[in-house]
Amino acid sequence: MKPNRPKSRSRRRFLLGGLAATGALIVGWGLYPVRQRLYTSDPLPVSGGAVAFNGWVAIAPDGSVSITMPRAEMGQGVHTALPMLVAEELDAPLAATRLTQAPIDKIFSNVALLREVLPLHPDDLGKMKDGVQWVLAKAGRELGIIFTGGSTSIKDAWEPMREAGAMARAMLVAAAAAQWKVPASECATADGFVTHGSGKRAAYGDLVRAAAAIEIKPGDIRLKDPKDFKLIGQPVARRDSPSKVTGGAAFGIDARPQGMVYAAVAMAPSVGATVASLDASKAKAMPGVLDVVDFSSALSQPCGAGAGVAVIARSWWQAHQALPALNVSWKEGEAAHLSSEEVFRQFGKVLDESSGFTYYSHGDMDAAAQAARTVQAEYRAPYLAHATMEPINCTAQVKDGKVRLWVSTQVPSVAVDAAARVGGVARDQVELHMLLLGGGFGRRLEGDMVEQAVAIALQAKGA
């Protein structure tokens, strides 16, 4: 049975064909192998005598396994699922694994994301699709966007995290085989130990120093056959559930760095509106108020309402209470009177007057039009707020030429870029503390809360 083919793909072919039309530079670049995803640009930070086997895995003398976590935990379970990938190939107990925040490095970029959002139908197979996916996967690796979303975390991590675990296992086996003077092929691994048929047995923690000197080439890594999986595919208790049940889990809104002050914001009433005038004298005279900041000009592009004014105070309640005392007026933009009713009216008009662009077609519509009976219906879905259970928030400090962030975000690399841009510092002078997300839903793909917090922190005299 042949796969279904779209009858009309002129626009799509134009868009994707444009990639090739840029010339030999892209074609030549596309022929190079995809860059490795095992080693970070700088050595992975370790402590307590641990040894980093690659950019994803470090093992300590006590046998604990530190796994680099590049994705945000927002309730979907990646803090459980991704360590399973490493533990499976490493043959280490899942209970022995610990998570460390991934640094901003290109090996942690979400390569699968770009490949998954291509305007190609799942049934649209062929060399064109394969070629475009190959090029865009490479582009995703080069862009280095660390991104959680689109149900791509497992798809993206499936290969590199398993390879990282398999590489570490191979190095440990080689170290044990060298000590025992036996072929590595005669050794086996299970539950954090290397064993030999003669009865010899060594814990991973006892082998880390010797294993660190072993070189395993990426091409020599052998992944398990799925039939040999012991952990992947098995029901496992969520690792983040206990702390969330007891209240010990730390979300972005729980950040409490020493000396923190608070800001409450008054946002523009509509997209595109700007501050026309501001009289902050009454608010500044209220208890606990430290300053009033118009942060509108700091935003790189309108996101949400865009413009806004913040009251900085010693407590959030004091800041919140001072907001009504602000005498602020707004200059409305074109969207001031836009409504859902008007948007749907415009949609209906376009549907009535235009045939639109056929993304995928199968069958004979002309023949179907001759049917004895035609059923026609119009379906609508309302606009929905990306309302997260944890309110959108960001804590920022600008001090001594550095920006420090405590934030729940789906895009840490974007957050770092936004903080550097607004704070006027180099990217490597931004320190990011990634916390749990009380829901993402795409809302935390935006960087507006980071830009706002850093812009306000610029006026907070190092607080």
Side-chain angles (χ1 to χ4, degrees):
M1 179 178 177
K2 292 183 179 180
N4 297 332
R5 300 285 185 185
K7 285 188 174 182
S8 174
R9 295 182 292 179
S10 58
R11 292 193 190 183
R12 185 176 62 197
R13 286 191 180 279
F14 171 77
L15 289 171
L16 300 183
L19 290 172
T22 54
L25 181 61
I26 283 184
V27 174
W29 170 77
L31 293 176
Y32 283 105
V34 177
R35 287 187 187 238
Q36 61 83 26
R37 295 187 68 188
L38 282 172
Y39 297 102
T40 48
S41 301
D42 297 314
L44 200 66
V46 292
S47 60
V51 171
F53 287 78
N54 46 60
W56 300 87
V57 180
I59 303 177
D62 64 0
S64 60
V65 180
S66 177
I67 298 175
T68 306
M69 176 53 59
R71 303 290 172 253
E73 177 60 78
M74 50 189 178
Q76 83 281 37
V78 291
H79 277 194
T80 304
L82 296 193
M84 289 173 68
L85 303 181
V86 174
E88 177 69 76
E89 295 291 347
L90 181 59
D91 276 337
L94 186 60
T97 62
R98 307 288 183 268
L99 302 182
T100 59
Q101 179 185 323
I104 304 299
D105 191 284
K106 286 186 177 182
I107 74 164
F108 304 119
S109 60
N110 192 329
V111 174
L113 173 71
L114 223 54
R115 191 172 59 236
E116 291 294 317
V117 298
L118 281 172
L120 296 168
H121 193 276
D123 292 338
D124 187 14
L125 308 175
K127 292 182 179 179
M128 177 184 174
K129 178 179 179 180
D130 293 342
V132 173
Q133 285 189 327
W134 167 258
V135 171
L136 288 188
K138 282 172 58 61
R141 171 66 178 83
E142 297 300 326
L143 289 172
I145 300 175
I146 302 177
F147 178 108
T148 304
S151 300
T152 56
S153 292
I154 296 293
K155 290 180 182 179
D156 182 72
W158 181 254
E159 193 170 284
M161 292 191 79
R162 288 177 62 205
E163 286 181 346
M167 170 180 273
R169 175 188 174 277
M171 293 168 71
L172 291 162
V173 168
Q179 288 183 11
W180 299 333
K181 295 180 173 53
V182 299
S185 59
E186 293 181 2
C187 298
T189 54
D191 298 324
F193 288 87
V194 180
T195 59
H196 185 257
S198 63
K200 292 183 172 67
R201 188 169 184 261
Y204 284 176
D206 296 333
L207 295 168
V208 290
R209 293 193 181 278
I214 303 293
E215 182 179 354
I216 300 291
K217 295 179 180 179
D220 294 335
I221 299 172
R222 296 291 178 264
L223 299 180
K224 284 185 180 180
D225 188 301
K227 66 179 177 58
D228 297 323
F229 287 165
K230 299 175 183 176
L231 184 59
I232 294 176
Q234 300 301 314
V236 174
R238 285 277 297 266
R239 295 162 60 104
D240 55 327
S241 293
S243 63
K244 289 178 177 177
V245 171
T246 62
F251 295 84
I253 206 165
D254 296 318
R256 292 295 186 274
Q258 188 174 6
M260 188 172 83
V261 295
Y262 297 78
V265 297
M267 301 301 298
S270 63
V271 175
T274 58
V275 176
S277 64
L278 171 65
D279 180 358
S281 56
K282 185 177 179 181
K284 286 184 176 181
M286 295 182 70
V289 174
L290 302 173
D291 204 354
V292 173
V293 178
D294 177 356
F295 55 80
S296 308
S297 61
L299 305 190
S300 60
Q301 57 185 2
C303 181
V309 180
V311 175
I312 304 174
R314 298 194 183 282
S315 73
W316 179 84
W317 183 248
Q318 290 172 327
H320 177 70
Q321 288 292 94
L323 276 182
L326 286 176
N327 185 7
V328 57
S329 60
W330 307 94
K331 180 182 178 182
E332 295 281 15
E334 293 181 1
H337 304 294
L338 187 66
S339 64
S340 294
E341 291 75 15
E342 174 60 19
V343 170
F344 280 111
R345 187 194 69 77
Q346 293 177 19
F347 284 166
K349 185 172 184 291
V350 172
L351 283 171
D352 291 339
E353 298 177 356
S354 171
S355 61
F357 166 56
T358 302
Y359 170 64
Y360 184 77
S361 176
H362 178 65
D364 190 339
M365 287 302 295
D366 292 334
Q370 306 305 314
R373 177 166 171 261
T374 300
V375 178
Q376 187 170 336
E378 181 176 308
Y379 298 88
R380 295 186 180 189
Y383 280 100
L384 300 176
H386 285 201
T388 58
M389 293 180 69
E390 174 201 4
I392 295 300
N393 67 89
C394 178
T395 300
Q397 180 187 42
V398 182
K399 185 178 181 182
D400 300 330
K402 294 181 180 292
V403 176
R404 294 176 179 85
L405 295 177
W406 294 261
V407 65
S408 302
T409 177
Q410 292 174 250
V411 279
S413 57
V414 173
V416 167
D417 286 337
R421 181 173 59 251
V422 177
V425 302
R427 200 168 186 257
D428 60 3
Q429 295 303 303
V430 177
E431 179 184 303
L432 174 69
H433 299 272
M434 182 76 172
L435 296 151
L436 292 173
L437 281 62
F441 317 122
R443 177 60 182 95
R444 286 188 159 98
L445 293 173
E446 307 292 351
D448 57 321
M449 73 291 290
V450 174
E451 293 183 327
Q452 291 171 13
V454 174
I456 295 166
L458 276 169
Q459 308 299 319
K461 303 178 178 64

